[in-house]
Amino acid sequence: MARLLTRRSLLTGLGYSAIVGGTAGLIFSPAFRDLLLGSGEALSYQSHRLIGRNALAPEFTEADMSPTFRTNGNTMPASAEYQAHINTGFANWQLKVDGLVATPASFSLEALKAMPARTQITRHDCVEGWSAIGKWTGVPMKALLDRVQLMPTARYIVLHCADDFSGSAYYESIDLVDAFHPQTILAYGMNDQALSVGHGAPLRMRVERQLGYKQAKYVMRLEAVASLSGMGLGKGGFWEDQIGYDWYAGI
């Protein structure tokens, strides 16, 4: 609630026209011409950017952690490839990072765990109306993108996942501001334990300034792209395509 009130007070204090007028160049920048954002979504996006690109979501203490943290969405991908990874404890699993990058690469789970990690205790706010506070440990997405070196034409990072809903591959996407945000991590640990299958093992995204449906689970590949028009139905994510959720789900 604190984050919602903070943004609401900002909008009230500055006024809608002031925000839109002062950031119109951002709304219609090349990174967003292929996303036909509704006025509410555009306002949400611009208010967050006005607050600051590196403004942090609230972090909590271990005493604040929820005794139960629900699973949500798919809790067991059915693909044969994913099932094989479960059977081997993800020993042969690799995260691919490619697209508009200078040096495409693949990272094993052990390689990711060997990189400098970030741990954060944050609140997960689900679009269905529930919230929970959990502890996440993982590698900052920035560290991986720095290694592969994005090309100048890259505008978004698409997360391709192991989920499959009735033949439609699950994916999500964020822009480079969120990809490089200090709290955007690829988490392999939750509450001081290895990430469970129900919560997205072996790797899920945490992009803490957005709603829960943006926290993609079962991440298999990161792809840097210039446009989202060729992904799925072109709206930026599985739920955005299927039921019209906002691409930018800022809170």
Side-chain angles (χ1 to χ4, degrees):
M1 180 62 72
R3 281 177 288 176
L4 295 173
L5 291 175
T6 297
R7 192 178 69 184
R8 187 177 298 126
S9 63
L10 170 71
L11 301 183
T12 302
L14 294 180
Y16 177 90
S17 60
I19 293 175
V20 173
T23 59
L26 292 176
I27 292 176
F28 297 107
S29 67
F32 294 95
R33 286 176 186 152
D34 61 345
L35 286 178
L36 300 179
L37 302 178
S39 60
E41 185 181 358
L43 181 58
S44 171
Y45 179 87
Q46 297 306 332
S47 66
H48 270 213
R49 295 301 179 256
L50 192 62
I51 291 170
R53 292 188 170 206
N54 290 324
L56 300 179
E59 295 191 16
F60 301 86
T61 70
E62 292 189 355
D64 300 313
M65 291 167 57
S66 301
T68 301
F69 197 118
R70 294 170 53 179
T71 57
N72 62 304
N74 193 358
T75 57
M76 177 60 76
S79 76
E81 179 185 8
Y82 186 81
Q83 291 297 319
H85 285 310
I86 290 180
N87 293 337
T88 60
F90 300 101
N92 300 314
W93 174 91
Q94 297 264 325
L95 174 69
K96 298 179 180 178
V97 186
D98 59 12
L100 296 175
V101 302
T103 55
S106 294
F107 301 87
S108 69
L109 186 57
E110 289 307 310
L112 294 176
K113 290 181 178 180
M115 297 176 67
R118 176 182 172 89
T119 296
Q120 55 202 33
I121 300 175
T122 54
R123 189 180 66 207
H124 179 103
D125 292 308
C126 183
V127 70
E128 296 173 348
W130 59 271
S131 297
I133 294 174
K135 184 178 183 180
W136 307 95
T137 299
V139 58
M141 188 179 290
K142 178 183 184 300
L144 297 180
L145 299 181
D146 284 344
R147 288 200 179 194
V148 298
Q149 302 177 59
L150 294 179
M151 294 181 180
T153 51
R155 294 289 182 269
Y156 306 95
I157 302 300
V158 178
L159 298 96
H160 299 274
C161 305
D163 304 50
D164 189 306
F165 290 83
S166 302
S168 297
Y170 195 94
Y171 78 104
E172 253 307 339
S173 65
I174 55 176
D175 68 5
L176 297 188
V177 173
D178 278 325
F180 282 88
H181 189 274
Q183 287 176 315
T184 299
I185 65 173
L186 295 165
Y188 46 73
M190 178 184 179
N191 295 348
D192 295 319
Q193 298 181 14
L195 193 64
S196 70
V197 170
H199 282 105
L203 204 67
R204 74 176 293 169
M205 178 168 69
R206 296 300 307 176
V207 54
E208 302 294 357
R209 297 195 299 174
Q210 298 202 46
L211 286 170
Y213 67 84
K214 297 295 289 189
Q215 322 298 326
K217 301 194 295 185
Y218 313 114
V219 179
M220 304 292 285
R221 176 188 173 205
L222 304 183
E223 181 185 9
V225 300
S227 169
L228 298 175
S229 60
M231 301 291 167
L233 299 181
K235 297 180 181 179
F238 177 85
W239 292 117
E240 293 90 325
D241 288 343
Q242 300 301 318
I243 58 177
Y245 281 176
D246 287 345
W247 171 75
Y248 189 74
I251 51 178

